[in-house]
Amino acid sequence: MKSLEVDKIYIDRMSGKNTDRPALLEMLKFVREGDTVVVESISRFARNTKDLLELTEELNSKHVQFISQKEKIDTDTPAGKFMLTIFGAVAELEREYIRQRQREGIEIAKENGKYKGRPEKQLDNFPAVYVQWKKREITAKSASEQLGISRSTFYRKVSEHEEKSVAIDF
């Protein structure tokens, strides 16, 4: 990008799988009519056709040119717009293949006993915090903060704890 002598460079250190990326959003706010947005590749800009087309349409509505270096696509031409759609679909297909291979790899690892998921967080003081919460001495928010977990995780742990308690009572 520096060799292109661009005025401003935006770098996201996140996947292009969604559009909620700080540098992308900042760039979209900054660009003005007559500007040109140059990206290294379409797959770094957006990973699905819908996002790609929405982003480029937003740029087009601001009269901003879009160029992808790797694919040599320029949206100022009809052929460039067509190629953008094709490459967007290919990037989306590639993303789906990656996800599929990841799922398959996890299943194989599970079958071989090598994948157990994320290790469960040890909550040694959960029983005491649970009793305080059950007696309404503290809120769920306070309990989850004391345990260092989210409220949804706290409620899930409460359910698990109560299921175990009921099972023991019978």
Side-chain angles (χ1 to χ4, degrees):
M1 290 298 155
K2 289 179 181 174
S3 67
L4 296 172
E5 297 179 13
V6 295
D7 294 334
K8 196 159 175 86
I9 297 175
Y10 296 89
I11 299 173
D12 269 318
R13 305 241 183 255
M14 303 169 74
S15 168
K17 71 179 180 177
N18 67 43
T19 58
D20 188 23
R21 305 186 318 255
L24 174 65
L25 297 174
E26 184 182 342
M27 182 271 302
L28 290 171
K29 284 183 195 174
F30 179 80
V31 293
R32 304 287 182 261
E33 183 174 343
D35 285 350
T36 300
V37 171
V38 181
V39 297
E40 186 271 326
S41 76
I42 288 174
S43 67
R44 304 281 38 132
F45 188 60
R47 288 283 176 93
N48 67 60
T49 309
K50 179 181 172 276
D51 288 346
L52 177 64
L53 295 176
E54 285 176 2
L55 288 168
T56 54
E57 184 56 40
E58 182 174 346
L59 293 173
N60 286 340
S61 71
K62 294 179 177 186
H63 303 287
V64 172
Q65 184 180 8
F66 175 81
I67 296 175
S68 171
Q69 285 296 108
K70 184 177 183 180
E71 294 85 5
K72 306 290 187 224
I73 294 176
D74 180 346
T75 59
D76 269 0
T77 67
K81 289 178 183 175
F82 172 74
M83 292 304 292
L84 181 72
T85 305
I86 298 300
F87 277 104
V90 170
E92 186 172 352
L93 179 64
E94 180 182 3
R95 174 87 180 132
E96 288 302 315
Y97 279 153
I98 290 169
R99 293 177 70 212
Q100 181 181 0
R101 286 192 301 268
Q102 181 183 24
R103 281 191 304 270
E104 290 169 356
I106 289 171
E107 286 304 313
I108 290 169
K110 282 181 178 178
E111 288 171 9
N112 295 331
K114 295 181 180 178
Y115 182 86
K116 310 236 187 315
R118 185 178 190 176
E120 193 168 317
K121 191 169 187 175
Q122 293 300 314
L123 304 173
D124 297 330
N125 58 339
F126 178 81
V129 172
Y130 170 80
V131 169
Q132 284 183 303
W133 173 76
K134 202 68 173 170
K135 290 180 178 179
R136 299 183 186 267
E137 294 172 1
I138 59 172
T139 64
K141 180 181 179 188
S142 176
S144 60
E145 287 172 356
Q146 285 181 38
L147 295 167
I149 57 177
S150 68
R151 269 191 287 184
S152 59
T153 302
F154 173 71
Y155 284 123
R156 184 170 41 81
K157 293 290 185 187
V158 165
S159 292
E160 291 169 3
H161 179 75
E162 290 175 349
E163 283 177 20
K164 286 179 187 174
S165 297
V166 170
I168 293 170
D169 289 343
F170 289 110

